[in-house]
Amino acid sequence: MSTTDRSGEPRGRHRQRRRAVDLLFEAEAKGVPATELIAQRREVFDTDDSVGEMTGYAVQAVEGVVADSDQIDAIITARLENWEFDRLPAVDRAILRLGTWELLYAPDVDVKVVLDEAVKLATALSTDDSPAFVNGVLDRIAVLAPQVRAATSGE
């Protein structure tokens, strides 16, 4: 049995992305760092495994978003057209943050996969207009991906 899907993505990564978006959204709503939620859930998991183990791609992505949050938010803000970052739906901000992090700092993920996954998340979690909006913003950010990925990998 293959451990990747047809696009070459590791199986289960869509669920991990959804979990990352959920954590980013919840953290913003609570006004706490998402890494704090991860730490809290790890403590609870020791006695209650219903919260789910905090490992894998979701944790890697959330930690990456938190580590580069100022730069990620600035990049998103610079590519918004006729919108203010703080006025976006919170779930759209979470999806855009995850997608931007993946585009710039996850070289193992194809740019087309990032865009497709972000659109799927926006379709499932946000407004009817969000999928096209998220796709447009991330498409403008994707132009930066080759240069940033090369710079961060030391090429």
Side-chain angles (χ1 to χ4, degrees):
M1 181 152 113
S2 174
T3 59
T4 60
D5 65 17
R6 281 183 260 132
S7 70
E9 274 279 288
R11 290 191 187 273
R13 198 166 274 188
H14 178 76
R15 266 186 308 230
Q16 291 288 310
R17 284 185 182 94
R18 170 106 185 216
R19 189 167 202 193
V21 167
D22 289 346
L23 286 164
L24 293 168
F25 176 84
E26 180 182 349
E28 183 175 343
K30 290 181 174 179
V32 299
T35 50
E36 186 176 309
L37 291 178
I38 291 169
Q40 290 171 357
R41 299 245 165 69
R42 283 180 171 154
E43 286 179 26
V44 171
F45 182 75
D46 290 340
T47 58
D48 179 7
D49 63 2
S50 69
V51 298
E53 192 170 11
M54 287 283 113
T55 60
Y57 191 74
V59 171
Q60 176 188 355
V62 168
E63 289 173 345
V65 169
V66 170
D68 294 309
S69 63
D70 290 340
Q71 182 179 17
I72 288 169
D73 286 359
I75 289 168
I76 295 167
T77 300
R79 275 130 194 112
L80 294 175
E81 295 178 356
N82 303 315
W83 276 96
E84 292 180 33
F85 185 74
D86 293 337
R87 301 224 22 190
L88 296 175
V91 70
D92 288 359
R93 280 194 302 272
I95 294 166
L96 287 169
R97 285 171 170 148
L98 174 63
T100 300
W101 177 81
E102 284 191 298
L103 285 170
L104 303 180
Y105 303 108
D108 63 317
V109 182
D110 185 84
V111 170
K112 290 178 185 176
V113 171
V114 174
L115 296 174
D116 183 57
E117 287 290 317
V119 168
K120 286 179 184 175
L121 288 166
T123 299
L125 301 172
S126 196
T127 68
D128 290 343
D129 295 330
S130 291
F133 175 77
V134 165
N135 186 63
V137 174
L138 290 178
D139 193 47
R140 288 188 289 278
I141 293 169
V143 173
L144 303 172
Q147 298 92 334
V148 174
R149 287 178 172 194
T152 58
S153 69
E155 292 179 12

